């Protein structure tokens, strides 16, 4: 999973786990709670967990149908529990029943604040209204309404503030991921602009000269100055040959990669995703004739780690007879990757051999070029 998705899963499961623990603790340690009160609190906890699962800010997967029925259903369940508890608190003759109704009603109000009100548009106004309604409904005996209101308001405000800060953290992680993607896109656009500028500077002038000289040669030919027209066409031919050579040189420089630069780039890229790269050996130990080949191995191997693992550690070993790139954090079964297949084909044309092994959550990419 990408980092933001994992963080969203962690955040959601943490909140749901906290709700489950709180419900279990209240049900197990509540003095004198009857069976109906325990059942009510458990139902409120289940509704809260389902509502958190359906909130778009916390959902790591998109299921609009689930959200359409889950949030309204949970709202109805929690509201019904609160209303039933309020009725019981006002009509019950037994003090224990009144106390149980207050516990269930307050739990329903707080859990609804956590899973529903905190994600609504008018959060704070609804918090004040629910706290006031709770004070009026559960404030008996007379004179305790203000105390119940203050208690409900403080607890609800704490729950809302905690939830909003949590959601804010999730959004920050999303924005950082988007910024990273945008930075990569900008780098790619910059490189394309650089290549276009170099292409224009290198070839544009020669093409302009070819156009002018071709037009001049045509004019001289029509005027009967065949010798001068022939000389101009010779210049056109020379310019065309020079342009082709400069074009090849430009493209070759654009496509060539350097082993030292690729190792430095791999260390920087893996560090950004939380993976430490350990380099054993030195790029100078790699034979010069396979430097470019080794650079391609480092580039493709690093891409493979970023795309297909959750590695926290990687080791790059360089030697005169071959190289290897090992990483941990392999997720699921290892399948053939198109990038590695392309790399194997590139190595085969140079006489080198590629070997991959996967065991105990680690993946090893080995290259041997001792016979090249």
């Amino acid at each position: 999973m990408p980092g933001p998705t994992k963080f969203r899963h962690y955040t959601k499961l943490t909140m749901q786990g906290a709700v489950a623990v709180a419900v279990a603790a209240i049900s197990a340690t509540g003095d004198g709670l009857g069976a109906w009160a325990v059942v009510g609190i458990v139902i409120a906890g289940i509704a809260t967990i389902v509502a958190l699962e359906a909130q778009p800010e916390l959902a790591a997967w998109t299921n609009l149908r689930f959200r359409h029925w889950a949030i309204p259903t949970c709202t109805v369940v929690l509201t019904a529990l609160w209303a039933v508890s309020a009725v019981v608190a006002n009509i019950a003759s037994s003090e224990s029943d009144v106390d149980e109704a207050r516990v269930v009603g307050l739990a329903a109000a707080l859990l609804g604040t956590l899973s529903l009100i905190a994600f609504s548009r008018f959060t704070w106004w609804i918090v004040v209204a629910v706290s006031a309604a709770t004070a009026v409904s559960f404030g008996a005996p007379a004179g305790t309404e203000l105390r119940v209101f203050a208690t409900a308001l403080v607890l609800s405000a704490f729950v809302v503030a905690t939830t909003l800060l949590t959601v804010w953290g999730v959004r920050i992680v999303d924005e950082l991921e988007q910024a990273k993607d945008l930075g990569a896109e900008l780098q790619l656009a910059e490189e394309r602009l650089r290549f276009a500028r170099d292409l224009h500077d290198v070839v544009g002038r020669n093409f302009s000269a070819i156009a002018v000289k071709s037009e001049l040669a045509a004019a001289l030919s029509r005027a009967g100055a065949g010798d001068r027209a022939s000389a101009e066409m010779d210049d056109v031919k020379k310019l065309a040959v020079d342009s082709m050579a400069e074009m090849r040189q430009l493209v070759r420089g654009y496509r060539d990669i350097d082993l030292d630069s690729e190792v430095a780039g791999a260390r920087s890229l893996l560090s950004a995703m939380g993976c430490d790269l350990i380099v054993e050996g030195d790029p100078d130990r790699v034979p010069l004739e396979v430097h470019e080949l080794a650079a391609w191995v480092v580039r493709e191997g690093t891409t493979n780690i970023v795309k297909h693992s959750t590695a926290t550690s990687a080791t790059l070993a360089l030697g005169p007879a071959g190289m290897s790139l090992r990483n941990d954090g392999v997720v699921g079964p290892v399948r053939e990757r198109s990038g590695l297949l392309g790399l194997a084909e590139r190595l085969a044309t140079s006489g080198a051999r590629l070997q991959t092994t996967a065991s105990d959550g680690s993946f090893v990419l080995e290259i041997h070029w001792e016979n090249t």
Side-chain angles (χ1 to χ4, degrees):
M1 294 181 184
T5 303
K6 288 190 287 189
F7 183 74
R8 184 173 280 101
H9 269 301
Y10 165 78
T11 302
K12 179 185 63 179
L13 292 175
T14 300
M15 295 178 68
Q16 292 173 329
V19 170
V21 170
V23 168
I26 295 173
S27 302
T29 62
D31 293 334
L33 287 181
W36 78 270
V38 173
V39 171
I41 293 174
V42 170
I43 292 175
I46 294 173
T48 301
I49 291 173
V50 173
L52 289 172
E53 185 70 34
Q55 291 297 340
E57 291 85 351
L58 298 176
W61 48 274
T62 301
N63 191 329
L64 295 178
R65 182 178 299 176
F66 172 73
R67 294 177 188 170
H68 284 327
W69 70 261
I71 293 180
T73 301
C74 294
T75 303
V76 170
V77 170
L78 291 172
T79 304
L81 282 172
W82 182 90
V84 170
S85 300
V87 171
V88 172
N90 284 277
I91 67 174
S93 58
S94 170
E95 188 64 28
S96 61
D97 290 339
V98 173
D99 291 338
E100 290 176 1
R102 288 176 178 172
V103 172
V104 175
L106 186 58
L110 291 177
L111 292 175
T113 301
L114 171 66
S115 59
L116 298 170
I117 297 176
F119 297 92
S120 63
R121 183 177 180 183
F122 303 104
T123 300
W124 296 109
W125 290 107
I126 299 176
V127 165
V128 173
V130 171
S131 299
T134 301
V136 172
S137 302
F138 299 94
T144 61
E145 291 88 351
L146 184 59
R147 186 182 65 184
V148 175
F149 172 74
T151 301
L153 183 61
V154 170
L155 291 175
S156 298
F158 175 77
V159 169
V160 168
T162 303
T163 305
L164 291 179
L165 286 173
T166 301
V167 173
W168 176 72
V170 172
R171 290 172 180 167
I172 289 296
V173 172
D174 286 338
E175 290 175 1
L176 288 174
E177 184 69 15
Q178 292 172 3
K180 186 175 72 172
D181 293 341
L182 181 60
E185 292 176 3
L186 289 175
Q187 279 188 326
L188 181 60
E190 255 183 41
E191 184 62 18
R192 287 174 175 170
L193 287 174
R194 184 193 69 81
F195 183 70
R197 184 176 60 251
D198 292 348
L199 186 63
H200 176 271
D201 294 343
V202 170
V203 183
R205 180 182 59 83
N206 287 350
F207 279 176
S208 298
I210 287 174
V212 171
K213 285 185 170 293
S214 297
E215 185 178 356
L216 176 59
L220 290 173
S221 179
R222 286 192 294 269
D227 293 339
R228 291 185 58 191
S230 178
E232 293 296 337
M233 289 308 298
D234 288 338
D235 289 342
V236 168
K237 178 182 177 182
K238 183 177 182 302
L239 283 171
V241 172
D242 292 342
S243 297
M244 291 174 62
E246 291 176 353
M247 174 77 77
R248 292 193 187 97
Q249 183 178 1
L250 177 63
V251 172
R252 188 181 302 112
Y254 183 75
R255 295 181 61 185
D256 282 351
I257 59 176
D258 177 68
L259 179 57
D260 291 321
S261 300
E262 288 301 319
V263 172
R267 179 179 283 111
S268 175
L269 178 59
L270 293 177
S271 176
M273 63 168 284
C275 177
D276 295 326
L277 177 65
I278 302 171
V279 179
E280 298 178 351
D282 192 274
D284 293 337
R285 297 181 61 194
V286 178
L288 289 177
E289 59 270 19
V290 293
H291 254 232
E292 183 177 348
L293 198 64
W296 281 110
V297 173
V298 173
R299 175 179 293 186
E300 183 56 41
T302 303
T303 303
N304 192 57
I305 293 173
V306 172
K307 292 176 62 177
H308 305 298
S309 80
T310 57
T312 58
S313 176
T315 302
L316 173 65
L318 300 169
M323 62 182 294
S324 67
L325 182 58
R326 176 191 300 271
N327 69 277
D328 59 6
V330 175
V331 181
V334 178
R335 300 183 298 271
E336 287 188 335
R337 311 292 185 188
S338 58
L340 293 181
L341 292 176
L343 180 62
E345 294 172 357
R346 182 189 296 271
L347 293 169
T349 59
S350 303
R353 292 180 291 108
L354 179 146
Q355 181 180 352
T356 60
T357 55
S359 61
D360 299 329
S362 65
F363 182 80
V364 183
L365 177 68
E366 292 183 279
I367 311 296
H368 302 277
W369 52 63
E370 63 269 23
N371 296 325
T372 59

